Amino acid sequence: MLLNVGTFIRSATRFSPFIITHSSPSSFCFSFSPKQTVSFALQSSQMASFTTLSQSPPKLLFRQLFEKESSTYTYLLADCSHPDKPALLIDPVDRTVDRDLNLVKELGLKLIYAMNTHVHADHVTGTGLIKGKVPGVKSVISKASGSKADVFVEPGDKISFGDLFLEVRATPGHTMGCVTYVTGDGPDQPQPRMAFTGDALLIRGCGRTDFQIFTLLKETLLYPAHDYKGFSVTTVGEEMLYNPRLTKDEETFRNIMENLNLAYPKMIDVAVPANMVCGLQDLEPKAN
Amino acid sequence: MLLNVGTFIRSATRFSPFIITHSSPSSFCFSFSPKQTVSFALQSSQMASFTTLSQSPPKLLFRQLFEKESSTYTYLLADCSHPDKPALLIDPVDRTVDRDLNLVKELGLKLIYAMNTHVHADHVTGTGLIKGKVPGVKSVISKASGSKADVFVEPGDKISFGDLFLEVRATPGHTMGCVTYVTGDGPDQPQPRMAFTGDALLIRGCGRTDFQIFTLLKETLLYPAHDYKGFSVTTVGEEMLYNPRLTKDEETFRNIMENLNLAYPKMIDVAVPANMVCGLQDLEPKAN
């Protein structure tokens, strides 16, 4: 049967639509039994060791969100089996704050942290806007960034949300204060671990890692702050093999980095001053 | 400490780089013990029932890939614990075929199927190009699409890759031949199930589902063919609650769809004829 191209785009209106009957679950975590709580969202894979070492149910709610103009990834994480469903956002962008907060609301989460991996030069962080819209949310950035925030973290610190936590690793190079947030290590934490690398490591791209990222297990899932080619995730093992910069020796790496001849970043003069104060440079005089 | 903005973008070159020493794993599945094979990639969450019903290790390798111009998602799935690592691509785009095939190669996979959820009107499918570049790959589309392909599927059919499979569900409306591919049901298949909905359901967007998508469990992960707002995944339960079109009664739904006043699709005159022949409209005369 040949498709009638003329009716192609109108076809959605030609079928009788339908009425959906559904209950309204008060939560996006479904409990099937006291020991079987199923998260209502994408999670990282549960490693065999997770299965054998622990009876704890999976509970990380995870969403990867994309801001097209700056090709920035924002990550939403929550402990979905905790009564409060505490959540955090990593690297939110000012332009997509309303999208992100609406999703937080729809999923019934309680946002407690709005975090940055570093002071971004290509977009204005959404942390300041979020703090204004959701009272009680704390902004988080590394102490070494020199930026303003409610909470300053240092390498080795743990950031808890419910029974889950992120570990802070120093990954300077792109900026002095770049950190990578890694999901916790342990039988009741997601396996493989997930590392939010900011700009320290991009998929098959630049990375200055100070060995901190590559000391993670090879199956660790790496989530960068940007991707310009449409990739969404990689692993430590893949980048060890295929990252065109990080597989080179010291001299070659230095030559590559010194000869990138990159254009002056479009947003840097706006973004960096704003991001040093949580994205609230315009609001600050009023606040003082 | 205040960050010196002047050195911000040059800082990556100011640290001594490093040499990475690593072994070259022949595979991206790591076997820690005969019963503990760990996939080297993102997987959907392993439901509690999976943990209790089966000792099988997780094995789905899953990647979500994005084509920015048409905001199209391409999905790569593989059975990573099978010796051949058989893989398939859902909704590949012609512009990103080389990216996708390079990733398949890097991950050591054997591509066996290049599939479409429907005849796309906004981009040219990559299936024809893929068939030319990787001998042996078979193109797959629904029989109801009226398009050319190597394999025609019908509702209820199963598409196997290694020990995993996709189930075909009819979800007409956007086009006559739209199908949704759903990961298999069973203790050794990924849980929650993952549904690749094509254009039948977009995240918080239009969908004509004929009830087929909403008969899946609420925690089923839904992966659409497009997203224009930066979302990457949703669930059946979320769309039942928050999809602005699918939560309406029949009359309201019809009114919405009849008054969308959408612009004439830019690519439709090129894309649809090309996609009816696997994206190879220019090559066909030579082939005949």
Side-chain angles (χ1 to χ4, degrees), chain A residues 1 11 16-17 20 43 45 63-64 66 68 71 99 106 119 146 173-174 204 208 229-230 238 246 253, chain B residues 1 8 11 16-17 20 43 45 63 66 68 71 99 106 146 173-174 204 208 229-230 232 238 246 253:
Chain A
M1 186 194 80
S11 58
S16 58
I20 297 154
Q43 292 181 286
S45 62
R63 291 291 166 93
Q64 184 172 26
F66 190 61
K68 220 168 168 177
S71 294
R99 174 199 66 185
E106 287 181 348
V119 177
H174 174 71
R204 309 290 194 267
R208 164 65 206 188
K229 293 180 180 173
E238 278 176 57
L246 301 184
F253 177 81
Chain B
M1 186 193 78
F8 190 87
S11 58
S16 59
I20 297 154
Q43 292 182 286
S45 62
R63 291 292 166 93
F66 189 61
K68 219 168 168 177
S71 293
R99 173 199 66 185
E106 288 180 348
H174 174 70
R204 309 290 194 267
R208 164 65 206 189
K229 293 180 181 173
S232 59
E238 279 177 57
L246 301 184
F253 177 81

